[in-house]
Amino acid sequence: MSVPSGRHFLQIPGPTNVPDRILRAIERPTIDHRGPEFGRLGMRLLAGLKEVFKTASPVMIFPASGTGAWEAALVNTLSPGDRVLMFETGQFAALWQQLAGRLGLEVEMVPGDWRHGVDPQAVEARLREDREGRVKAVCIVHNETSTGVTTRVPEVRAAIDRSCHSALFFVDTISSLASIDYRHDEWQVDVTVAGSQKGLMLPPGLSFNAVSEKALAAAGAARLPRSYWDWEAMLTANATGYFPYTPATNLLFGLDAAIDMLLDEGLDQVFARHARHGEATRQAVRAWGLEILCSEPREFSNSLTAVLMPAGHDADDFRRSVLEHFDMSLGNGLGRLHGRVFRIGHLGAFNDLMLAGTLAGIEMGLAVAGVPHQRGGLQAAIDHLADGRLVQSQQGTMKSAAAV
Ligand SMILES: *Cc1c(COP(=O)(O)O)cnc(C)c1O
C-alpha cells in the first residue's frame, strides 16, 4: 500500500472534516470547569446554541455521542410501558427503536422501505386510531444518515396537529442540524436530539437536547430511571453556565468556534451551500448512470447521498479501493444495505473544491475498481457548481449597477 501524502478525505456522513479553526480552539490547556472563565464560556455557548436550533427554550449539552441524547430524550419524558410511535426509515430509526425497547417502552414501529422519509399521512392515520391516547411520543429521524433521505418535519408536525393528538414530538437531527434547515420552535418540536460530529464540524463526543415547555412539564411526571441524563440537574447547573459533572471542556472550546463560524457564514447561507453540494452530487451520480437510493426527489438529503451499486458489485470492495488509491473514506452500507450502497458525505466544513475532489476520487475509483459506469459525473457536478457561481456574480453586478 502506498504512503498517503496531503490531506485525507473524510467523506463519510459523520464524523466530518474538522476545520483548522476548530482544531486550534480545542488545542488549549483545559481550564477549571468550576472557575469564572468557564462560567462565561458556558453562558455564551448555551445562548449561541439557541440560535443554531432556532429556539428560545433551553438546549442541553451532554458529554456523549448522539446515542446518549436519544436516551436522554426518552428517559426524561416517559414512564415504563409508555407507547412511542416510530418509523422505520433506516438504520438510525431502527437503532433508536431498539434503545427505546431496552428502556422498557412499548414501541410501535411503522414499517418502511428505507427509500422514503416518514409519511405524514401515516402519522395522522395512526394517531387518529389511538383514541385512548396511548401513544405518548412520536419519534422521527429528520435526516436518515443510512439512506440519504430527509423527512419533511413541518408536514409531520401538521399531521400531528390535524389528528388533535397530544403526543410529544421528538426529532433526531444528528446529521441535519447546521446543514439542512431546522426550526425547533416554529415546528413545535418537544425534544430535538443532535450530535457534535456532523453539521457542527466538531469531533465526536458532544450531544444535545433542545426541549420545549411541554417536554419540561412531561419531565416532572416521567418515571423512567434517570441520573446521568437528568435534565433537572443539568438545567440547574446551566443557569449559571456550569454543568452537574465534568463537561468535555476542550470540545466546548471547539463548539464555541463552531457556533461563531456558523453564525458568521449565516445559517441560510450554510443551508444554501449544502443544497448546492447535494444537487451537484446527485447530478454526478446520474451522469455516472448509477442510482440514488432515495426515491422521492423532495426528500433528497443535502448532507449525504447514498448510491446503489450495480448488481454483482460489492460497495465495500469499491470503498476499499478508493481508500487504498486515493486516501478517501466513503460511508458504508448500514444494516440491510450492507455491501449494497456507498454513502457520500457532503456536509460540515466543505466547499466546492473539496466536493470536486471527492467526486473525482469516486469517478477514478469506479474506473480502478471496474465498476460499470459512464464518465462525466465530475463534469456534470462542476458545471452545476460553476453555473451557480455565474448567477451569483451576475446578480452581484446587477446589484452594484442598481446602486450606481
Ligand atoms: C450519527 C447518527 C446517530 C448516531 O450517533 P452516535 O454519535 O453514533 O451515537 C444517530 N442518528 C443519526 C441520524 C445519525 O446520523
Side-chain angles (χ1 to χ4, degrees), residues 13-15 64-70 91-93 95-96 141-146 172-176 193 195-198 204-207 304 343:
S65 89
T67 302
W70 269 347
Q91 178 73 357
F92 289 102
L95 290 173
W96 199 6
V141 176
H142 183 204
N143 185 68
E144 240 308 341
T145 321
S146 59
D172 169 347
T173 65
I174 296 176
S175 64
S176 54
V193 171
S196 57
Q197 74 272 30
K198 300 183 187 179
L206 296 178
S207 58
L304 78 135
R343 294 173 300 143

Side-chain angles (χ1 to χ4, degrees), residues 119-129 158-160 162-163:
D119 174 6
Q121 280 173 350
V123 176
E124 182 177 352
R126 183 57 202 90
L127 290 180
R128 278 190 191 281
E129 279 166 26
I160 298 172
R162 276 196 307 275
S163 66

